[in-house]
Amino acid sequence: MRAELPHEEAAPGEGGAGPALLVIGDVVTDVVARHTAALSHGTDTTATIRILPGGAGANVACWAARGGHVDVRLLGRVGRAEAGWHEEQLRSAGVRPLLVPDDDAPTATVIALVDASAERTFLTDSGAVLRISPADWSPSLLDGITHLHLSGYLLFAEASRALARLAMASARARSVTVSLDPASAGFIRSAGAPEVLAELDDVDVLVPNADEACLLTGLTDPADAAARLSRRVPLTVVTLGADGALVAESGAVTARVLPPRSQAVDSTGAGDAFTGAFLASRLTGADPASAAAEGCRAGAEAVTLIGGRPAQVVPPQAG
């Protein structure tokens, strides 16, 4: 039976004549636990814990929508019970939610353990995320779209990978440019770099972090990895965390951008903030280096916030 197709709902400030971005990716319920002491195995460790909306794809969409200059839409799959809350949070961030409710799987959940250095470790239950499939796709989702962005998490399950391929082929047929964030060094190790690289033929912009870029190329220097990847994907931007970002075009590093200083409390979503701000800046006319600078500013802001989104949200109601 065909999956229930997503329905469109208006978001604040959307629907104008400017550029439009479709993001396909994960929508997640984040449980963020910040602890200053080392974890105590087998007993309690004091932490500050919050329940927040997250997911790399959804976070990218929210950061891209900030400022209201780009019409941003998000296609994702969530558990039916949580669909309303996630739609509300996306709309409040200026994103048009195109969420497919799943009756058989809950919304993905991630437990983010954030230590005193603001570094985070994830425990991931993919839930409905990787159940998104070609049945959830319609070429009409690209109507009016300027650019398509895919979360790399889609590549690591058969059904979601098939959707990613279909969406990229549809975008190519309409001359819609495509970007991809490889998403996870851990998943790249599991799947294998050659398998991930094989999915990049229709990608125009690649936004890996340094670990992902090095894994995909087998090189140890992120600059060398960026240059090599840009021979395959014309514009490759490698994020370096607190060290900024590298821009590589057609086989050469063309810019290195440094971020502003900030006091980090939680690094969750910093890369998503970079990607969202970078894409919005590019879609509104910035050159790659200037767009990377916007991305660095967003990433520096993101690490000062709890969770991966630019806006404060209201936790879900129990019961």
Side-chain angles (χ1 to χ4, degrees):
M1 184 175 70
R2 183 175 177 82
E4 180 178 339
L5 288 175
H7 60 280
E8 297 192 10
E9 296 199 39
E14 61 127 58
L21 168 67
L22 174 64
V23 178
I24 307 177
D26 45 325
V27 180
V28 174
T29 300
D30 282 345
V31 181
V32 181
R34 297 174 61 224
H35 57 97
T36 55
L39 294 176
S40 300
H41 181 70
T43 188
D44 294 335
T45 301
T46 300
T48 301
I49 301 174
R50 295 182 65 187
I51 298 175
L52 299 167
N59 293 345
V60 167
C62 290
W63 284 96
R66 192 175 68 156
H69 303 300
V70 178
D71 172 10
V72 183
R73 311 168 196 181
L74 173 70
L75 175 64
R77 196 172 183 95
V78 296
R80 186 175 292 277
E82 303 85 15
W85 181 65
H86 279 288
E87 287 182 349
E88 178 185 352
Q89 299 305 327
L90 289 164
R91 286 195 298 269
S92 71
V95 175
R96 185 191 301 190
L98 307 173
L99 301 186
V100 181
D102 194 311
D103 289 314
D104 299 317
T107 301
T109 301
V110 170
I111 298 175
L113 304 175
V114 184
D115 64 21
S117 71
E119 188 53 76
R120 73 277 189 273
T121 301
F122 295 141
L123 300 173
T124 302
D125 179 347
S126 296
V129 163
L130 299 182
R131 289 165 56 86
I132 198 167
S133 73
D136 301 322
W137 177 255
S138 168
S140 65
L141 290 169
L142 289 174
D143 289 351
I145 293 297
T146 310
H147 183 82
L148 170 68
H149 177 73
L150 302 174
S151 171
Y153 287 109
L154 297 171
L155 302 180
F156 303 114
E158 183 176 351
S160 56
R161 183 167 57 249
L163 168 66
R165 290 170 176 169
L166 180 59
M168 285 190 283
S170 296
R172 186 62 59 206
R174 294 190 178 208
S175 299
V176 171
T177 53
V178 177
S179 58
L180 184 138
D181 172 359
S184 169
F187 284 137
I188 292 171
R189 289 190 189 95
S190 297
E195 286 72 16
V196 176
L197 287 169
E199 304 295 337
L200 302 183
D201 289 346
D202 285 329
V203 175
D204 303 287
V205 183
L206 187 67
V207 194
N209 65 25
D211 288 343
E212 294 157 0
C214 290
L215 277 172
L216 287 171
T217 59
L219 300 173
T220 57
D221 185 335
D224 292 340
R228 178 172 293 182
L229 285 169
S230 71
R231 296 188 188 104
R232 188 178 196 113
V233 180
L235 175 58
T236 296
V237 184
V238 177
T239 58
L240 306 173
D243 292 325
L246 295 164
V247 178
E249 301 173 81
S250 302
V253 172
T254 56
R256 179 167 189 149
V257 181
L258 297 177
R261 291 185 178 182
S262 59
Q263 184 63 47
V265 297
D266 178 9
S267 58
T268 302
D272 304 333
F274 177 96
T275 300
F278 172 82
L279 292 175
S281 185
R282 284 287 289 156
L283 287 173
T284 51
D287 61 77
S290 298
E294 287 298 319
C296 284
R297 281 190 279 273
E301 179 183 344
V303 300
T304 69
L305 306 172
I306 306 302
R309 304 256 180 109
Q312 295 295 317
V313 297
V314 179
Q317 298 298 310

